[in-house]
Amino acid sequence: MASASPPGNEAASETFLGSIDQGTTSTRFLIFNKAGQPVASHQLEFKQFYPHPGWHEQDPKEILTSVETCIQEATKAFEKDGHRKETIKAIGITNQRETTVVWDKLTGEPLYNAIAWPDTRTASLVRELKSSEGADTLQDICGLPLSTYPSSVKLAWLLRNVDAVKKAYDEARLAFGTVDTWMLYHLNGRDRNVFVTDATNASRTMFVDLRSLKYSDHVLNFFGLDTSKIALPEIVPSSDASSFGQLESGILKGTRITGCLGDQSAALVGQCGFQPGMAKNTYGTGCFLLYNVGETPVMSSHGLLATVAYHFGGSRKPVYALEGSIAVAGSGVKFLVNNLGMAEASHHISELAATVSDNGGCVFVTAFSGLFAPYWIDDAQGTMFGITQHTEKGHIARATLEATCFQTKAILDAMEKDCGHKLSELAVDGGMTNSDLCMQTQADILGIAVDRPSMRETTSLGAAIAAGFALSVWKEFDELKSVNREGRRVFRPQISDKESAAMFKMWSKAVAMCKGWVDAEKEEIAELKA
């Protein structure tokens, strides 16, 4: 649905920036003014495929179509409100990370569905790789542990199991990329041969040396990749006036693309988390906490990921972050709606949770894709504890919201151990932050303030900021100090530290009991039924 807001005085602010926000379940295009306020937008959901338990796929062509439609409809709404499309000076891209696309570089056609980031089909492959020689050396190079999460293991699975992919590799016509690369390759038109990825997305593949931001021969060799047989995209800064090309067709044909950030990096930029020690938590399909550690990567020893926060190019050095990734957040809410029929829409789950005063002893470990940071338990599955005859729908709804809040606390505890610094406040954004109950619960469990902006499209805003910096719409981070500061709400803890600790102890007990559900016997049963 397209939407737009009144144009105001365009003469006083004639620079607008577009933002392609390509997420896990939907695509959006937003148009921002220089003050960082969205003035028009359009959003489309696209189909998700779950062919087997743990598998999650998307149609790469439908992703492209959704992007083109959103650009068209949002720009129409923008013009309908009296703006001129020529005032949209550039476009930024932000995208779901790790999701893996492979295509024929001669035809541009995908060779398989995109394997989405939460997909866990690679669980047995990960166990095999972990036992391989050199596995213990990888994380210190790329910042990521071997798990079902990064793009590397998804590509390894495709090369082992999909004939069309193996054939393309053997014939040296295989192209690999994350969603940003796939979009840029086609939005530019294949004749331009724009085959790039930004540093934040590249850092999620496992193939990149975090310190040099170049592909690591050591890691590529570990995965058995011959770079003469597979095309890997060029790694470029997140903000650049020329690397990302321009739109080849459509209503904004010729408009330059000058920014690109993985979605969680974009949210950190959109929250203006430019100083070391600043952190944000995005509650989307999954939940992702990024903590700015400055210009030197910090390799975690407590279950977190080291990643590129952003790289704005020029004389600016890349900035790094520690990240805690939670596989299931908003998707847990959707599970209650779509799979269990507990409500008609996602926002009703918060209302349902509010019908009870606590979880009634129910703890729900939403490990639909195993457990990510800081646990990294690949053989966990969704497990619910404490169900009695007293348990109601409201208790399960509340336990689902609490699951994300508990995992966020586990991540913050790990960050404190890695950095020796305890946060006093956490900036938040994403769909689940619309729930006052969820945010109050988060403040209670963390024991610190939770700061929610009134304009919650911080991921899209981050992509627009990256695009704007490339064109000197802004030249210094200080110019953004007032962006999205009005109307913020701060949630403060309302329970004692003792009560919060008791709740987290119960959660930790549940985590310890949810392991081992994905094992060889279960996989054998699934194969026999297939």
Side-chain angles (χ1 to χ4, degrees), residues 351-360 392-396 398 437:
E351 298 169 6
L352 182 60
T355 62
V356 294
S357 60
D358 56 33
N359 62 23
E392 302 174 7
K393 289 181 180 179
H395 295 125
I396 295 173
R398 187 176 278 264
L437 175 61

Side-chain angles (χ1 to χ4, degrees), residues 304-319:
L304 304 181
L305 312 178
T307 193
V308 178
Y310 54 86
H311 183 200
F312 276 16
S315 61
R316 297 182 181 91
K317 295 181 179 180
V319 173

Side-chain angles (χ1 to χ4, degrees), residues 409-424:
K409 174 174 170 53
I411 288 168
L412 276 182
D413 287 350
M415 285 186 175
E416 183 179 351
K417 292 173 184 175
D418 277 329
C419 298
H421 172 72
K422 181 177 175 63
L423 284 182
S424 59

Side-chain angles (χ1 to χ4, degrees), residues 102 165 186 336 434 462 506:
V102 287
V165 177
H186 284 277
L336 300 187
N434 291 323
M506 186 67 73

Side-chain angles (χ1 to χ4, degrees), residues 13-320:
S13 179
E14 58 182 10
T15 295
F16 295 89
L17 296 161
S19 178
I20 297 169
D21 186 345
Q22 203 299 299
T24 307
T25 59
S26 71
T27 299
R28 294 181 295 172
F29 185 70
L30 292 89
I31 301 168
F32 290 91
N33 62 22
K34 192 176 176 181
Q37 294 297 319
V39 298
S41 65
H42 190 78
Q43 180 173 4
L44 275 180
E45 291 193 353
F46 57 93
K47 189 172 182 180
Q48 309 294 310
F49 300 92
Y50 305 97
H52 303 287
W55 291 35
H56 186 174
E57 299 178 359
Q58 299 161 353
D59 180 351
K61 288 187 172 181
E62 187 182 2
I63 289 174
L64 286 175
T65 301
S66 69
V67 170
E68 293 163 351
T69 301
C70 287
I71 292 173
Q72 181 85 6
E73 295 305 316
T75 306
K76 283 182 179 178
F78 181 71
E79 291 184 307
K80 187 177 180 180
D81 269 4
H83 301 292
R84 295 179 298 111
K85 66 181 182 181
E86 291 79 14
T87 59
I88 302 172
K89 301 301 184 183
I91 291 170
I93 288 177
T94 182
N95 59 282
Q96 55 173 319
R97 304 170 305 168
E98 296 93 20
T99 295
T100 300
V101 188
V102 287
W103 64 96
D104 187 325
K105 69 179 184 180
L106 301 181
T107 67
E109 290 295 308
L111 296 169
Y112 194 77
N113 274 345
I115 299 182
W117 61 268
D119 186 285
T120 60
R121 75 185 69 191
T122 57
S124 60
L125 174 57
V126 168
R127 290 196 292 272
E128 175 191 324
L129 291 170
K130 283 181 176 179
S131 65
S132 301
E133 183 179 354
D136 59 348
T137 66
L138 301 181
Q139 188 166 357
D140 187 58
I141 298 170
C142 66
L144 307 180
L146 271 171
S147 74
T148 60
Y149 189 24
S151 311
S152 55
V153 293
K154 296 172 172 58
L155 175 61
W157 184 93
L158 287 163
L159 285 166
R160 287 191 183 194
N161 293 280
V162 180
D163 289 340
V165 177
K166 287 187 285 184
K167 190 171 189 291
Y169 178 78
D170 291 338
E171 296 174 0
R173 52 184 175 82
L174 179 64
F176 156 84
T178 44
V179 171
D180 58 315
T181 301
W182 169 252
M183 288 192 293
L184 286 162
Y185 184 74
H186 284 277
L187 290 174
N188 273 276
R190 289 181 46 242
D191 290 342
R192 285 206 187 95
N193 196 30
V194 175
F195 187 54
V196 298
T197 185
D198 96 289
T200 68
N201 278 294
S203 70
R204 313 303 298 187
T205 62
M206 279 194 84
F207 296 141
V208 175
D209 184 321
L210 268 193
R211 297 170 180 86
S212 68
L213 295 187
K214 298 181 184 298
Y215 289 109
S216 165
D217 290 337
H218 178 80
V219 177
L220 292 172
N221 289 336
F222 176 85
F223 284 100
L225 293 176
D226 181 346
T227 53
S228 70
K229 294 183 177 181
I230 183 170
L232 301 175
E234 178 187 356
I235 302 167
V236 299
S238 313
S239 179
D240 191 275
S242 59
S243 292
F244 303 115
Q246 63 186 44
L247 294 183
E248 186 267 341
S249 62
I251 195 169
L252 292 181
K253 180 179 179 180
T255 304
R256 282 195 285 173
I257 303 168
T258 58
C260 182
L261 290 158
D263 51 8
Q264 303 314 317
S265 289
L268 183 67
V269 170
Q271 289 273 21
C272 297
F274 300 121
Q275 298 300 318
M278 301 182 81
K280 70 87 203 175
N281 203 25
T282 298
Y283 301 73
T285 300
C287 187
F288 303 88
L289 200 157
L290 261 67
Y291 178 94
N292 184 328
V293 298
E295 296 175 352
T296 303
V298 173
M299 297 299 175
S300 174
S301 56
H302 296 92
L304 304 181
L305 312 178
T307 193
V308 178
Y310 54 86
H311 183 200
F312 276 16
S315 61
R316 297 182 181 91
K317 295 181 179 180
V319 173
Y320 297 91

Side-chain angles (χ1 to χ4, degrees), residues 400-481:
T400 303
L401 299 180
E402 288 177 350
T404 299
C405 299
F406 284 129
Q407 288 174 85
T408 297
K409 174 174 170 53
I411 288 168
L412 276 182
D413 287 350
M415 285 186 175
E416 183 179 351
K417 292 173 184 175
D418 277 329
C419 298
H421 172 72
K422 181 177 175 63
L423 284 182
S424 59
E425 185 175 89
L426 180 65
V428 299
D429 53 68
M432 284 182 73
T433 64
N434 291 323
S435 166
D436 289 354
L437 175 61
C438 185
M439 293 300 96
Q440 184 57 57
T441 301
Q442 185 68 89
D444 290 342
I445 290 172
L446 293 180
I448 62 173
V450 169
D451 181 4
R452 182 181 70 186
S454 59
M455 198 288 290
R456 313 214 183 128
E457 307 294 351
T458 55
T459 302
S460 302
L461 175 60
I465 288 173
F469 260 87
L471 299 184
S472 296
V473 173
W474 305 281
K475 296 180 181 179
E476 301 295 337
F477 294 137
D478 281 351
E479 297 175 47
L480 295 162
K481 285 191 295 187

